[in-house]
Amino acid sequence: SQTIHQWPATLVQPVGSPLSLECTVEGTSNPNLYWYRQAAGRGLQLLFYSVGIGQISSEVPQNLSASRPQDRQFILSSKKLLLSDSGFYLCAWSAGGGYGYTFGSGTRLTVV
Amino acid sequence: AQSVTQLGSHVSVSEGALVLLRCNYSSSVPPYLFWYVQYPNQGLQLLLKYTTGATLVKGINGFEAEFKKSETSFHLTKPSAHMSDAAEYFCVGGGNKLTFGTGTQLKVEL
């Protein structure tokens, strides 16, 4: 069966520090991969998605970036965090079409 | 542009009462529709989905939803609410890129 792992679960980082969140999928190949952010009291905002290794599409211009160094690995990064980067970050994968998404358990990021 | 609209950001029901969470989608959304549930500080869990076939779909935890193309709706229902149903619910539409509603927080009261 397919599983998705996301870590860390919680993270407190100072303003200006770098960020690296990792997401891996097991049990499938060539998944579509996604990073979402959920700010307090707001819906989900799609940040990045990838349909293959090295293929990244950005939905919202910001100081975050994403990379897909391997087929089932998706990394969210920042060189310098801002206070506004605080939120709940969710990774998801999909086989496409009507299969829907399977979400990771999320990372609660607090920038202080 | 694709859009999914959830009517009511907060819904409160009594335990044992009918749960009805409303969702409408724009006609430009591909006919793949989903309901997800999110418990505090957790990821989203798929409740049910409509892709093709029967328009009344049943999901986990006693929830069901009916796809009504003429009304562009996909409302979520459960005959009898339980305390454990308290969570945030998201209506979602689309294919490779999903369009999320803004969520409905369901509160279940004794």
Side-chain angles (χ1 to χ4, degrees), chain A residues 64-101:
Chain A
L64 298 172
S65 62
S67 62
R68 185 170 177 173
Q70 300 181 46
D71 181 43
R72 290 168 290 178
Q73 183 184 28
F74 204 26
I75 298 171
L76 182 69
S77 304
S78 174
K79 292 182 179 179
K80 290 184 177 182
L81 284 168
L82 307 173
L83 287 173
S84 57
D85 292 323
S86 293
F88 192 53
Y89 288 81
L90 289 161
C91 179
W93 80 271
S94 171
Y99 292 97
Y101 289 6

Side-chain angles (χ1 to χ4, degrees), chain B residues 4-109:
Chain B
V4 174
T5 303
Q6 291 182 239
L7 301 177
S9 59
H10 292 81
V11 171
S12 183
V13 300
S14 299
E15 190 173 35
L18 171 71
V19 176
L20 171 60
L21 304 183
R22 300 177 186 273
C23 172
N24 289 89
Y25 63 93
S26 65
S27 57
S28 60
V29 172
Y32 299 141
L33 293 163
F34 312 85
W35 276 99
Y36 283 85
V37 61
Q38 184 181 31
Y39 298 98
N41 291 312
Q42 294 186 27
L44 278 72
Q45 181 184 7
L46 181 64
L47 271 179
L48 50 80
K49 65 179 180 180
Y50 170 80
T51 53
T52 60
T55 56
L56 180 64
V57 293
K58 296 184 184 299
I60 61 173
N61 301 337
F63 284 93
E64 62 182 38
E66 186 170 9
F67 171 68
K68 292 187 176 181
K69 186 175 181 179
S70 60
E71 299 177 8
T72 61
S73 68
F74 191 57
H75 302 330
L76 181 71
T77 60
K78 182 175 180 177
S80 177
H82 191 272
M83 295 296 290
S84 61
D85 294 327
E88 188 158 23
Y89 293 80
F90 291 92
C91 182
V92 185
N96 285 336
K97 286 177 61 179
L98 298 185
T99 300
F100 282 78
T102 51
T104 298
Q105 189 72 44
L106 175 65
K107 183 178 179 181
V108 182
E109 299 175 321

